[in-house]
Amino acid sequence: MSHNQKNSKAWLQSYVDSPEKQQKLYRRTLFIVVMSQIFGGAGLAAGITVGALLAQDMLGTDRYAGIPAALLTFGSAGAALLIGRVSQRFGRRIGLAGGFLTGGIGAVGVIVSAITSNIYLLFASLLVYGAGSASNLQARYAGVDLAKPAQRATAVSIAMVSTTFGAVAGPNLVDVMGRFAVSIGIPALAGPFILGAAAFLFAGLVLLAFLRPDPLIVANALADRQVIDKSQPIEKQSSNLAINNRGIIVGATIMVLTQIVMTSIMTMTPVYMKHHGHGLREVGMVIGFHIGAMYLPSLVTGILVDKVGRTAMAIASGATLLAAGILAASAPSDSMLLLIVALSLLGLGWNFGLISGTALIVDSTHPSTRAKTQGTVDVLIALAGASGGALSGMVVAQTSYAGLSFAGGILSLILIPVVIWSRSNQKIKEIS
């Protein structure tokens, strides 16, 4: 064994042997993840806000204005798969930092495409920019690697709350960045991507410099130690594996369904409001409340998921989304208050589903396969969001906004039998 390998084993063993060092690293990891998420949220929101407008401006038509959102989503889905696999092999630090830095390069490409009026470069760059979005979502798992079972949902919620600061700041800096861009001879709509590039690159550098020792590598070593200590019989191990597979299916189903329902109704609400005479200010207010409800309740949700249980909060997610769909379907088109309440409930139901589903995935995976599984699940979430957004327009065209909202509410009820199925033959251990 080489000197380097001995040193590597020694530092890792020092964490395995010391619960105090593990908790210290857990708190440090959460702090670093929070820092990266604040910047990552700003980069994500700034780009999404003006991507469609930039394409519209460069093409001179709004026929293809939906392409940037689709490219971002597909880029995010592909990157989620890669980040999960790279993280599994080399650790969270390399996987997440690589995703953010790639997203930053994509943002630089968008700026260059705006200066040169190259639409093909714009579309290619938006695809690459999606990697930053994937890292932003997967970073929530890094804070959970060293969390005790009863801390997991709370750790996820801390990462999500920190994303809010950037996500709220990003769109509000669009005008400022637009004026700054013009002052240095760049088209105004490329301005927010200057912020996006700086934010993603900074988030990547923070993780690259400070996310060490790597939480996933330490979690893997801890899991290996537990297997040696407990050395279970083969029958017991295979029984646990079945429970884990079921937990992964249930966690993924919860997150995919909530993503479809939330994205489809959210996508068509601005269109519905515009058709009924609401201005951009009112649309911005409703979507602002919606985004706030998606992230701000996270800390409370995390504590509830840890204390009340994953199952109860997944059922609460289905019930909240049903209430949102029924209210959005029945609210008079001129009632701002009811639309705000409906979209806030929609965000809250999504929040319940994402945090309870994420906690279930972490509960049901071994660190040796966890990052790869999480990456695959995040691909499904990204594709569910893209499908929900794309199909929502068709549903409204065939029926109405009320028809879409009602259908979304009914679809969310599937969560309840899925959760009951998960409890049927072999009860998944509930953390409470």
Side-chain angles (χ1 to χ4, degrees), residues 79 87 90 100 111 127 130 136 174 191 259 335 337-338 428:
S87 296
F90 301 106
F100 274 129
I111 297 161
L127 200 64
N136 210 57
V174 164
Q259 187 77 5
S335 174
L337 177 63
L338 288 179
I428 291 175

Side-chain angles (χ1 to χ4, degrees), residues 4-59:
N4 283 346
Q5 283 176 316
K6 281 180 183 173
N7 280 348
S8 166
K9 293 264 183 190
W11 78 255
L12 198 52
Q13 195 61 42
S14 72
Y15 279 93
V16 171
D17 294 338
S18 171
E20 292 81 14
K21 286 187 82 168
Q22 291 163 26
Q23 275 303 295
K24 195 173 174 185
L25 180 59
Y26 163 65
R27 287 193 293 271
R28 175 184 157 82
T29 300
L30 258 186
F31 178 74
I32 301 303
V33 167
V34 164
M35 289 297 101
S36 75
Q37 288 294 82
I38 291 171
F39 289 102
L44 174 69
I48 286 173
T49 309
V50 294
L53 298 175
L54 187 58
Q56 191 179 29
D57 191 56
M58 286 171 71
L59 288 164

